Amino acid sequence: MQIDAVKAAYRRYARIYDTVFGPVLQPGRKAVLDALNLKPGDRVLEVGVGTGLSLQLYPRDVRITGIDVSREMLDKARERVARRNLTHVEGLLEMDAERMEFPDASFDKVVAMYVVSVVERPAKLLEELHRVCKPDGEIFIVNHFHSDNPFLGGIEKALSGFSSTLGFHPDFNLREMLPAGHNGEVSMSRVNLFWKILRLRNGVKHKKL
Ligand SMILES: C[S@@+](CC[C@H](N)C(=O)[O-])C[C@H]1O[C@@H](n2cnc3c(N)ncnc32)[C@H](O)[C@@H]1O
């Protein structure tokens, strides 16, 4: 999705996001937190942090930075941080995940929850996630990936014409994101029928896109 369409969609969603997408997406957020295996002092980046529904799930001895392109979603996240006194959140910044302002190798773990099917160029996003992650760090992506089931796949295709209104691509395919010949260590685990976690070890050189 083009960035203006993303901003418009999430400007509309911000007020109702937690009600509509809070509980339904929470199993994936919790599964990522379990998989992260965080150590005290780890620096974590969460891209597309939205209203910050995951922030209270992180242990208090790590340091989290969240970024998002939607000012309205970030406002909600800031309210949550203040309301719940989430002192482990170092910053919530308005920033495009495809063009981050962080230096290389800034974070131990980089997380993208339900974002890769929203951004304009998923492969460029992945390149940036690798760049800002430390060489021995890890990247975690939770998302819905295009279903191999012909029935579900057909529904996704039918819905794909409404991507801008929905605010994501229902038929997102992993091949749109991983560069040809990608040889990073990849593992995929299933959260449930809809959501999967993709785990990538950093230290893999990607072709410039
Ligand atoms: C489906 S929401 C997921 C929010 C949150 N991660 C969650 O678990 O509820 C997708 C979020 O990604 C943000 N987003 C989309 N494109 C982005 C980009 N290029 N850079 C940063 N954030 C982006 C949207 O503004 C929105 O807040």
Side-chain angles (χ1 to χ4, degrees), residues 5-24:
V6 172
K7 288 182 181 177
Y10 287 92
R11 189 177 304 129
R12 284 195 307 272
Y13 272 139
R15 265 188 318 125
I16 55 161
Y17 186 88
D18 290 2
T19 308
V20 178
F21 295 106
V24 73

Side-chain angles (χ1 to χ4, degrees), residues 6 10 17 29 48 50 68-70 73 95-97 113-114 118:
V6 172
Y10 287 92
Y17 186 88
R29 299 185 191 103
D68 205 286
V69 284
S70 167
M73 295 286 275
M95 196 186 291
D96 182 355
M113 302 195 192
Y114 311 109
V118 180

Side-chain angles (χ1 to χ4, degrees), residues 24-25 114 142-144 189-197:
V24 73
L25 301 183
Y114 311 109
V142 63
N143 219 82
H144 174 73
S189 56
R190 194 175 268 288
V191 177
N192 56 28
L193 183 61
F194 301 107
W195 319 114
K196 287 181 184 165
I197 297 176

Side-chain angles (χ1 to χ4, degrees), residues 69-110:
V69 284
S70 167
R71 189 168 303 165
E72 292 78 9
M73 295 286 275
L74 280 173
D75 284 345
K76 295 282 174 195
R78 290 185 183 119
E79 283 168 26
R80 183 186 310 280
V81 166
R83 197 172 58 243
R84 295 189 174 249
N85 194 25
L86 301 178
T87 50
H88 56 326
V89 178
E90 279 194 325
L92 291 169
L93 309 169
E94 194 175 331
M95 196 186 291
D96 182 355
E98 292 184 30
R99 275 177 291 271
M100 289 191 269
E101 293 153 32
F102 305 115
D104 296 356
S106 296
F107 300 95
D108 299 288
K109 311 267 171 159
V110 179

Side-chain angles (χ1 to χ4, degrees), residues 57-73:
L57 302 176
Y58 287 90
R60 296 302 172 105
D61 56 5
V62 302
R63 294 167 294 153
I64 308 157
T65 301
I67 68 160
D68 205 286
V69 284
S70 167
R71 189 168 303 165
E72 292 78 9
M73 295 286 275

